[in-house]
Amino acid sequence: MSIITVELGARSYKVIVENGLLARAGEHLAPLSRGRTMAIVTDENVRPHLATLQASLSAAGVASEAIILPPGEGSKSWATLELLTDRLLDLGIERGDHVIALGGGVIGDLVGFACSIVKRGCGFVQIPTTLLAQVDSSVGGKTAINSRAGKNLVGAFHQPALVLVDPTTLDTLPLRQVRAGYAEVVKYGLIDDFEFFEWCEANAAALLAGDADARTYAIAHSIAAKARIVAEDEYETTGKRALLNLGHTFGHALEAEAGFSDRLLHGEGVAAGMALAFGYSARRGLCTGQDVARVTAHLRAIGLPDSAPAANINADGTTLVAHMLHDKKMDAGTLPFLLARGIGKTFVDKSVELADVTRFLDEQREMAAA
Ligand code: NAD
């Protein structure tokens, strides 16, 4: 078992990682239940795990009520938020209660946001069931829904009270989703941990094949990295937390071009985006062509896209940069970019000219077509 504490003063919380934890979740949740019925919010695809969780709560003497939403990004909407907050209020949720978010990043983001506004903020617990949610979205307190203007544009910082991670829940997750989540794992190596990148090169295949040790190590290591960064910069004001956005600006443009649909999963966009961030860094003379080749070779080896065309996006630079202008990181007309001086040496550059990024993306497109 690994226990990682996210150190945030009065809002500190534990992330527990353990194979089989879901079946014992009741022991950890009973103290938060205050003898009241706990609401569990999940989606249709997570039903088998809901049964395990409810059985474990029952065994610990805790009654529960499940709210089952449709799966998919579409649930991060005003309509579903309204439905969910109404259901929670109908259940009589109080500020001191803890709602359980059981699912991937969609459920975690939606439930976290609902809990930030119900009764001006009630408690919640994250039980992430996708690799992406286990290594990234369940920790750190960013919550959001999508709006007409774009993805994750309406939300709040609201930290969970506890995060329970059971890597065995990934046994039912489709391989494409596991791979997409892996992009966020290797991201931690690329940001500031060269040794972990080397570990990823050596162990990614085992991890994707479901090797329990590799999976658990990668999850606990990733959470520890995220916890350190969040503890330093909870509200993304000093620039430290912005490092977690490596690959996200390029990736966001690709995802937007794909209509934020199953055509390109978030992690797939991030993978191609990280390759583009390294490619652009090399073009600026910041890192070497060997660095780029090593990053792209690893992404390709595990079946993740390493360029816009590999992600089936053939739009030109102008189109992709236009998507970037809707990025929520836009700051008084400039867009901070995560660039790299090498693998594990990422930094924020606020002086990137979008015209130069446009040229770079057009060059990449021409090279792929040649
Ligand atoms: P998701 O929640 O849509 O899950 C992917 C799919 O897997 C869904 O169909 C879901 O029903 C299914 N699923 C979940 N667990 C399963 C399981 N154990 N077995 C079988 N199927 C299962 O997507 P995701 O990739 O987990 O999360 C993506 C979302 O996370 C995006 O909305 C993104 O914006 C958000 N995100 C948030 C943060 C943050 O810090 N808050 C960080 C990264 C991403």
Side-chain angles (χ1 to χ4, degrees):
M1 185 205 281
S2 295
I3 301 181
I4 300 133
T5 303
V6 185
E7 302 281 359
L8 292 170
R11 290 181 314 290
S12 295
Y13 54 94
K14 287 190 173 19
V15 184
I16 306 177
V17 183
E18 191 184 22
N19 287 307
L21 181 61
L22 194 61
R24 291 185 291 281
E27 293 163 29
H28 299 280
L29 295 167
L32 295 175
S33 74
R34 309 185 306 156
R36 289 164 52 79
T37 298
M38 292 189 93
I40 306 170
V41 187
T42 191
D43 77 40
E44 289 288 351
N45 295 337
V46 189
R47 267 181 194 274
H49 304 298
L50 173 64
T52 310
L53 175 60
Q54 289 199 289
S56 129
L57 282 167
S58 278
V62 180
S64 62
E65 181 85 35
I67 301 172
I68 303 175
L69 300 173
E73 193 65 35
S75 285
K76 276 175 61 173
S77 64
W78 282 110
T80 314
L81 179 72
E82 184 178 6
L83 184 145
L84 176 58
T85 49
D86 280 344
R87 284 293 309 278
L88 293 174
L89 293 169
D90 288 347
L91 287 174
I93 292 296
E94 298 174 357
R95 266 189 193 174
D97 288 335
H98 290 86
V99 177
I100 302 171
L102 174 73
V106 164
I107 289 294
D109 279 13
L110 172 72
V111 174
F113 186 40
C115 292
S116 78
I117 53 177
V118 163
K119 304 267 170 90
R120 297 210 174 94
C122 67
F124 80 116
V125 174
Q126 292 268 21
I127 306 188
T129 61
T130 63
L131 184 58
L132 181 138
Q134 294 185 347
V135 300
D136 190 1
S137 63
S138 65
V139 175
K142 280 191 181 175
T143 74
I145 58 166
N146 306 323
S147 79
R148 225 172 32 192
K151 218 184 138 197
N152 292 332
L153 293 183
V154 178
F157 285 95
H158 190 53
Q159 300 291 346
L162 176 69
V163 183
L164 300 178
V165 180
D166 181 351
T168 68
T169 56
L170 302 179
D171 290 343
T172 56
L173 190 67
L175 181 59
R176 184 180 173 205
Q177 294 284 354
V178 179
R179 258 200 216 111
Y182 174 79
E184 304 278 7
V185 172
V186 71
K187 181 185 80 177
Y188 293 107
L190 295 175
I191 290 174
D192 62 359
D193 190 347
F194 179 67
E195 259 177 48
F196 185 58
F197 178 74
E198 288 186 308
W199 182 93
C200 286
E201 285 182 318
N203 295 283
L207 189 161
L208 294 177
D211 179 274
D213 289 342
R215 212 160 55 177
T216 308
Y217 175 79
I219 292 169
H221 192 90
S222 300
I223 292 170
K226 180 145 187 191
R228 268 195 308 275
I229 291 175
V230 169
E232 263 185 64
D233 183 17
E234 182 179 5
Y235 298 111
E236 206 165 312
T237 45
T238 70
K240 185 74 186 173
R241 187 164 181 166
L243 294 177
L244 294 170
N245 295 326
L246 174 63
H248 282 60
T249 300
F250 285 108
H252 179 90
L254 302 178
E255 280 185 273
E257 185 60 21
F260 293 107
S261 67
D262 282 355
R263 240 182 89 197
L264 187 67
L265 300 179
H266 176 70
E268 293 168 344
V270 168
M274 292 190 297
L276 286 167
F278 270 79
Y280 182 65
S281 300
R283 183 177 181 274
R284 296 265 306 264
L286 294 164
C287 70
T288 65
Q290 285 97 311
D291 290 327
V292 184
R294 193 163 169 183
V295 172
T296 53
H298 180 56
L299 295 174
R300 266 197 314 275
I302 52 172
L304 281 168
D306 64 343
S307 66
N312 291 317
I313 301 293
N314 290 306
D316 62 13
T318 306
T319 308
L320 292 176
V321 166
H323 290 306
M324 291 179 188
L325 297 178
H326 296 288
D327 198 298
K328 64 186 169 312
K329 294 181 286 300
M330 281 297 288
D331 185 17
T334 62
L335 184 57
F337 273 78
L338 272 292
L339 301 182
R341 295 193 178 90
I343 295 171
K345 295 181 187 159
T346 302
F347 67 101
V348 182
D349 186 337
K350 292 189 174 172
S351 63
V352 171
E353 284 179 23
L354 290 175
D356 195 43
V357 175
T358 307
R359 278 193 295 277
F360 164 72
L361 289 167
D362 283 337
E363 286 162 17
Q364 293 279 305
R365 188 169 177 242
E366 282 156 23
M367 262 160 38

